[in-house]
Amino acid sequence: MSTVPALRLLGVRFDDLDLDGALALIAARDPSAPFAYVVTPNADHLLRLEAGDDALRALYDGAWLSLNDSRILRLLAGRRGVRLNLAPGSDLAASLFARAIEPGTPVTVIGGSPAMAEALRARFGLTALFHHNPPMGFIRDEAAVQAAVAFVTAHPARFVFLCVGSPQQEKLAARIQAAGGATGVGLCLGAALEFVTGAKARAPAWMQRAHLEWLHRLASEPRRLWRRYLLEAPRLLRAMRKVPKGQ
């Protein structure tokens, strides 16, 4: 855990960092320092944690940084008088490639397709990108988990992008950290690299500013996301009503 001031919203830790602050801190970290990881809780993650998943909460509490990924969460927190900073994972990934990652910077990617890894190499001229895509459901296969941990340890990188979905990526990050031997910053960023490479399109800036990015994503992937955005929205509103005003 970092020494950055933080608050807890429904028991979930959020470090008081915006995108620029998070980028500066991550970029300044010694590349040879022991592996530490960054989580980016959003509304979906908060609901899982608020429901009492103590094992998952421990993974988030064990993160070096915990950054708010959700504009909707920031908006709802603000209505309860809680100032919640914003550092979306997709923007963080894009900013790292634009401002911190040079062609020779060692980068490891866990998850995503070989085509995505090749697109990253081509787009940014990367000469030290290492890619490992564990099998579907790998987190329930101890041998597959150990293989992913071993790959990260065997390929020292300044930035390790863990793109296998939540909570698999947070579980894997904690395993890498506990194993010792690995270096760099692990970034639990889900589909962020698909946005960076253009494999998926981000919502237009005006939709992001209007807190409608969820609608764009729902329209893009309705079968995968309808439950999250349509059924869980009432749960989020009910949960946020538990937050004391001016917490």
Side-chain angles (χ1 to χ4, degrees):
M1 186 184 297
S2 75
T3 57
V4 174
L7 62 82
R8 284 195 175 268
L9 185 67
L10 296 173
V12 181
R13 174 183 133 230
F14 289 94
D15 292 322
D16 189 21
L17 289 167
D18 62 9
L19 179 62
D20 286 339
L23 178 66
L25 200 59
I26 293 168
R29 192 171 188 270
D30 183 353
S32 65
F35 180 89
Y37 62 97
V38 178
V39 294
T40 54
N42 59 26
D44 180 52
H45 302 171
L46 183 139
L47 284 174
R48 277 189 263 136
L49 294 165
E50 194 265 341
D53 190 332
D54 292 336
L56 184 59
R57 187 182 305 279
L59 302 181
Y60 280 76
D61 284 344
W64 173 49
L65 296 177
S66 180
L67 308 172
N68 174 37
D69 182 61
S70 171
R71 287 179 170 82
I72 288 291
L73 204 52
R74 181 181 63 170
L75 176 67
L76 294 177
R79 290 180 176 175
R80 305 300 294 177
V82 178
R83 178 186 169 276
L84 189 60
N85 242 317
L86 179 69
S90 296
D91 292 336
L92 178 60
S95 296
L96 283 167
F97 278 97
R99 297 161 57 183
I101 296 174
E102 300 178 351
T105 301
V107 173
T108 292
V109 177
I110 305 297
S113 67
M116 185 192 75
E118 189 53 44
L120 283 172
R121 289 191 185 96
R123 182 164 186 170
F124 299 103
L126 303 179
T127 60
L129 184 145
F130 310 101
H131 176 239
H132 173 72
N133 189 24
M136 186 73 71
F138 81 99
I139 205 68
R140 297 184 296 275
D141 180 341
E142 182 58 24
V145 172
Q146 290 185 13
V149 171
F151 186 90
V152 172
T153 304
H155 298 84
R158 186 177 179 192
F159 303 109
V160 181
F161 290 89
L162 302 171
C163 303
V164 291
S166 180
Q168 292 78 216
Q169 57 200 15
E170 292 83 9
K171 292 179 179 179
L172 178 58
R175 286 290 300 270
I176 296 167
Q177 180 172 270
T183 58
V185 177
L187 298 140
C188 300
L189 297 182
L193 295 189
E194 294 182 273
F195 295 121
V196 169
T197 60
K200 290 183 178 179
R202 288 288 303 275
W206 71 266
M207 292 190 80
Q208 296 179 43
R209 290 192 298 269
H211 303 91
L212 292 174
E213 188 166 12
W214 67 270
L215 183 59
H216 180 272
R217 293 201 65 192
L218 177 60
S220 301
E221 300 179 83
R223 294 184 64 181
R224 187 173 77 85
L225 296 176
W226 73 270
R227 182 178 298 274
R228 177 192 300 182
Y229 290 132
L230 299 184
L231 295 189
E232 293 188 351
R235 284 183 57 213
L236 179 62
L237 293 174
R238 287 194 299 270
M240 290 300 294
R241 282 199 290 267
K242 300 176 187 177
V243 177
K245 285 211 169 185
Q247 172 183 284

